[in-house]
Amino acid sequence: MQDINYINHLNAVLEQFAKDERLNPTHISMYIALFRFWNYLHFPETFHVNREEIMKLSKIGSKSTYHRVVRELSHWEYIVYMPSKNPFKGSSVKMFKFETSSKPPRVHYNPKSNTSSKQALVSKNKRNKTIINKINIEKGRKPKDEKDVLEFFKKEKSTETEARTFFNHYQSVGWKLGKVPIQDWHALAKKWMLNSKSFAAEKEKQNLMTQSQNKDKHKATDHLHTNRDKNYNQPL
């Protein structure tokens, strides 16, 4: 049995994981499962592993994935994997002492031996970016609530009435333009405010024109008025 400081060892190996770009979650899960088994056996120099048990602990459902990952961990010197050809005797594993190991694992990048791991990382990063972009799009499609709209209209120096009118209108149609979901409600709100100002200006212009026409009409009508007290006996 070896004298292993549980916390120091895990801290050291987790630091190594953070630096090693070859690893994906499956490698880490496998290592933690092996470490748990090693700890349960009180840290022997080597120990036999039960594949089904390790797969269960590491949440790995494929035998081919299990063999690939354990061999990669061995190749990258996180463990030493010693496969057994005897069906009645399990394979053996040796765990390096990370806290005091005289031969710590080397962190390097070898594209030939790491194609699958690199693809897994790229795929995961791409998936994460897609999810983040989707979340950002969803956030911009519609406001959180009416208060969100009121604050935005106030910031743009518009009125509370316009804000409530805008919110109630698009809330009633499910924040869609026809059948198409709104992509950016802020941009739509700004367009609404511009249209509202243009409409108000046009309405004011129409009112002024109407008032002017009414005045002209009133003047014309005044010219047609006759004096009822006029004396028609007077000579022209």
Side-chain angles (χ1 to χ4, degrees):
M1 302 297 172
Q2 302 180 78
D3 183 19
I4 301 293
N5 185 305
Y6 188 105
I7 295 176
N8 288 345
H9 178 92
L10 277 183
N11 283 338
V13 79
L14 289 174
E15 285 182 13
Q16 201 70 31
F17 288 164
K19 298 174 186 176
D20 196 338
E21 296 182 357
R22 299 168 301 181
L23 300 175
N24 64 40
T26 311
H27 294 100
I28 297 171
S29 178
M30 168 75 78
Y31 184 90
I32 295 300
L34 290 171
F35 178 80
R36 182 179 176 185
F37 212 78
W38 188 36
N39 175 54
Y40 177 76
L41 296 172
H42 304 291
F43 305 113
E45 191 72 29
T46 62
F47 58 97
H48 294 292
V49 292
N50 182 299
R51 185 184 64 203
E52 286 75 19
E53 187 66 25
I54 296 300
M55 287 177 66
K56 182 179 178 182
L57 287 173
S58 59
K59 308 300 182 185
I60 294 175
S62 166
K63 292 180 182 178
S64 60
T65 301
Y66 168 84
H67 288 295
R68 175 180 61 80
V69 171
V70 76
R71 286 192 175 96
E72 286 177 342
L73 286 174
S74 182
H75 179 70
W76 298 334
E77 298 184 19
Y78 283 93
I79 64 173
V80 176
Y81 177 62
M82 296 165 279
S84 173
K85 295 181 180 179
N86 187 341
F88 301 102
K89 186 178 181 181
S91 299
S92 298
V93 168
K94 175 180 179 180
M95 306 286 286
F96 286 116
K97 294 173 63 177
F98 271 75
E99 57 187 281
T100 57
S101 176
S102 59
K103 189 180 181 182
R106 297 189 302 271
V107 177
H108 61 280
Y109 174 69
N110 185 342
K112 291 184 179 179
S113 64
N114 188 40
T115 304
S116 60
S117 302
K118 185 180 179 184
Q119 286 175 344
L121 284 170
V122 170
S123 176
K124 181 184 176 185
N125 290 337
K126 186 176 180 181
R127 185 165 63 252
N128 288 343
K129 287 180 181 178
T130 301
I131 293 171
I132 291 170
N133 289 337
K134 187 176 180 181
I135 291 172
N136 289 335
I137 290 171
E138 289 295 335
K139 281 183 178 179
R141 279 182 177 170
K142 60 181 182 179
K144 291 180 288 187
D145 48 30
E146 188 178 29
K147 183 180 177 183
D148 198 15
V149 174
L150 289 169
E151 289 177 353
F152 183 73
F153 272 67
K154 183 178 180 181
K155 179 182 175 183
E156 296 295 323
K157 299 186 180 355
S158 187
T159 65
E160 183 177 320
T161 301
E162 283 298 331
R164 294 187 187 279
T165 304
F166 172 83
F167 177 80
N168 291 332
H169 173 73
Y170 285 104
Q171 183 75 1
S172 66
V173 296
W175 296 94
K176 292 182 179 180
L177 292 173
K179 294 183 179 180
V180 181
I182 292 168
Q183 298 299 314
D184 184 351
W185 78 268
H186 287 105
L188 187 66
K190 287 182 179 180
K191 185 177 179 181
W192 174 285
M193 285 181 261
L194 287 173
N195 289 341
S196 178
K197 288 178 181 178
S198 299
F199 178 77
E202 184 64 26
K203 189 175 180 180
E204 180 66 20
K205 183 179 178 181
Q206 290 292 337
N207 288 338
L208 290 173
M209 289 179 65
T210 301
Q211 291 175 10
S212 177
Q213 289 172 357
N214 288 338
K215 286 181 180 180
D216 292 341
K217 185 177 180 181
H218 184 69
K219 288 180 180 178
T221 305
D222 286 345
H223 287 305
L224 294 175
H225 288 169
T226 58
N227 188 348
R228 293 181 181 180
D229 297 329
K230 183 175 181 180
N231 186 356
Y232 289 93
N233 292 323
Q234 293 180 359
L236 297 173

